[in-house]
Amino acid sequence: MARSGKLLWWIVPLFAVAVIAQTRSPIHLDHANSLVVTEEGGVICRELRGDVKMTKDSLTMTCDHALHYPDSGRVVFLRNVEVRDPHRILLADKITYDELSEVIEAGGHVRVYQGDTLSVTSRRARYYQQLSQGHLFDDVRINERSRRLVLIGQIGYLDHVRQYGRVTGNPVMTEGDSTFRIVTRVTGDTVEYFGEEKRVRVAGNVTIVRDSLVATGQVLDYFTDERMAVLLGSPEAVRGENHTRGDTMKLFFDNEQLSRVEMIGQALATSPADSSFPEPLNRMEGQRMTLWITDGVITEALVEGTAIATYYIRDQDKKRGMNVTSGDRLLIFFADRQMSRIRVEGGTQGTYTPQRLTAVPANNDIKR
């Protein structure tokens, strides 16, 4: 009796699976110019040619040539293949559809279109749950046209319902301007797109290239509507001869131009005192730093929290000495790419060293 009870536990799930399989609607042939039925080795094949149209629930599948194996529930669609559901279209050179698993295997020139906002291309794809989720392979390109974002890689995944995308395999994210000219290029180990949050995340060995700015870090969150990026993991930005770094870096863009940089935690900015020589370096450092940028040039800087500014004085290209100014807050103004004025708040200290007593620090002394 106990053994019968154990068998019953196996029979009930199997019976439930059989019922589910029977309740699924079969694939239906709507049209074909010709139909030929063959049998080889006990396998029945229905060969369809010319304006083939088949439907399965909300899916509509059309092609020029199809092979239907009714016993296994497998259908192979060939030439000019198109699969539609109410929300998107899948095009490919060849598609294999499994009625039991409802998995779509696409090969050749794979393209997926969702309205006017999203398009996808790859060499191979595997879609599940009609056309709601898909894995993409080889030369993957996800194009979010409304925000002019493109995700490129060798392996991709898309959840159309959640508006989520991911690419790996030398992934690249690009952003275009109003004319779709590429203005931002980001590389890393993984690129993810969160459509509902209007956010792109790039993780692992991140490099951002925008105009003359090159920034590096480990994790980037780019908020497309806010035109703001947050860079973590020893972030550093280089623009010409200007270097900035901190624990957290925020980049703000206005009219497709970098307008402000914020560094939080051990913030440091350096630039050569003389444009013709790499040393000495003017320095600004503190716990928080904000740089305002116009046409690619720093115009103002606010340094907060044990703020220190070290700058070398030049008068008509003559070296006059070095000034070190510290305070709780330093507001620094620039003219002709040089410090022109400093306003100090709280704990003001300053020292001036004449040129004859100024020694250029070694390279190890200018790094944290």
Side-chain angles (χ1 to χ4, degrees), residues 140-335:
V140 177
R141 185 182 180 93
I142 303 173
N143 188 356
E144 219 286 16
R145 292 190 294 272
S146 62
R147 293 181 175 84
R148 303 190 292 273
L149 294 175
V150 178
L151 277 60
I152 301 171
Q154 293 304 308
I155 300 174
Y157 171 76
L158 266 177
D159 187 320
H160 292 272
V161 177
R162 292 172 50 220
Q163 299 181 47
Y164 169 79
R166 179 181 68 247
V167 292
T168 58
N170 300 317
V172 179
M173 184 214 83
T174 64
E175 182 185 29
D177 61 14
S178 56
T179 65
F180 292 92
R181 178 181 63 90
I182 294 177
V183 295
T184 304
R185 177 183 173 89
V186 185
T187 60
D189 296 336
T190 303
V191 178
E192 296 176 280
Y193 174 66
F194 302 84
E196 293 181 351
E197 302 175 25
K198 301 172 184 176
R199 174 172 63 95
V200 175
R201 166 164 284 194
V202 184
N205 302 304
V206 178
T207 299
I208 309 165
V209 179
R210 183 169 182 131
D211 299 324
S212 59
L213 173 74
V214 178
T216 58
Q218 290 302 313
V219 178
L220 169 74
D221 279 311
Y222 179 49
F223 299 87
T224 58
D225 274 11
E226 300 176 35
R227 317 294 292 175
M228 185 264 286
V230 180
L231 188 58
L232 303 173
S234 301
E236 183 173 359
V238 178
R239 192 180 190 114
E241 297 174 326
N242 299 312
H243 293 244
T244 56
R245 67 183 70 168
D247 295 335
T248 300
M249 183 178 296
K250 295 182 179 180
L251 307 171
F252 297 85
F253 301 92
D254 185 19
N255 294 326
E256 299 165 356
Q257 297 292 322
L258 181 66
S259 61
R260 190 167 88 252
V261 176
E262 291 183 4
M263 288 159 292
I264 304 169
Q266 301 186 66
L268 173 66
T270 64
S271 62
D274 299 287
S275 58
S276 301
F277 301 95
E279 297 178 354
L281 293 177
N282 294 326
R283 296 167 55 101
M284 297 181 295
E285 52 192 306
Q287 288 304 305
R288 186 183 186 100
M289 186 183 302
T290 304
L291 306 176
W292 285 270
I293 299 169
T294 302
D295 297 328
V297 178
I298 299 174
T299 57
E300 293 182 30
L302 175 63
V303 188
E304 303 173 274
T306 317
I308 303 173
T310 303
Y311 60 101
Y312 292 82
I313 305 169
R314 299 294 184 262
D315 183 11
Q316 296 180 351
D317 295 330
K318 293 183 179 180
K319 301 177 180 180
R320 298 299 185 186
M322 179 183 71
N323 256 344
V324 178
T325 304
S326 62
D328 296 335
R329 286 165 51 98
L330 302 179
L331 183 58
I332 305 168
F333 301 88
F334 295 83

Side-chain angles (χ1 to χ4, degrees), residues 13-27:
L14 291 173
F15 176 75
V17 170
V19 171
I20 292 172
Q22 291 176 359
T23 57
R24 285 178 174 173
S25 61
I27 194 167

